[in-house]
Amino acid sequence: MSASSRLLRFLFFAIVVRAVILVALGLTVRNRERLPKDGPAVLAGNHNSNLDALATMSLMPLLLLPKLRLVAAMDYFYSSKLRGWFADKIVGIVPVKRGRGKEGGNPLLLAGQEKLPVWE
């Protein structure tokens, strides 16, 4: 990820997302002590809304932002070039192809790749 993308991502989460999630919606974190102090963790939303993933990310310390990745539906986030660019450069998603059996394949295949698809 380029320096400009990292800066845009930081500003988006620090200013826009946090303002909406923490101030406008008033969400808070409970039981933060249950999260690991170091090492990997998987946080899963229950899909109450399309804001679940952004809400989860906004409640984490901003210093962890470079290490946070969202797993998100490829068909939704790559439905247009602008949305694809935003998903890659700003949100930093790991795209997952939805489906069953052969049409879906291994949904986490891209997560193991060093270089994920990027919209230029």
Side-chain angles (χ1 to χ4, degrees):
M1 191 175 267
S2 70
S4 60
S5 291
R6 285 192 301 273
L7 177 61
L8 285 173
R9 186 174 194 227
F10 180 83
L11 292 173
F12 174 70
F13 279 97
I15 298 169
V16 177
V17 174
R18 283 186 176 230
V20 170
I21 301 298
L22 302 176
V23 177
L25 298 178
L27 296 181
T28 60
V29 177
R30 289 184 287 180
N31 303 313
R32 190 185 298 260
E33 68 280 357
R34 293 182 182 177
L35 294 172
K37 299 285 186 229
D38 58 354
V42 174
L43 304 175
N46 59 7
H47 274 303
N48 278 338
S49 79
N50 288 329
L51 291 176
D52 281 0
L54 293 178
T56 301
M57 287 182 75
S58 73
L59 298 172
M60 302 302 290
L62 283 173
L63 291 175
L64 289 179
L65 191 58
K67 296 180 179 184
L68 297 175
R69 299 295 298 269
L70 293 175
V71 176
M74 184 183 284
D75 60 306
Y76 177 78
F77 282 97
Y78 292 90
S79 60
S80 74
K81 283 199 175 225
L82 178 61
R83 188 178 286 171
W85 176 87
F86 189 80
D88 277 336
K89 303 292 186 184
I90 307 301
V91 180
I93 73 164
V94 174
V96 172
K97 185 176 180 184
R98 293 192 277 193
R100 294 175 186 236
K102 288 183 181 178
E103 72 242 16
N106 178 354
L108 297 179
L109 183 63
L110 292 173
Q113 293 182 4
E114 184 135 337
K115 182 158 173 46
L116 296 171
V118 176
W119 287 86
E120 297 297 333

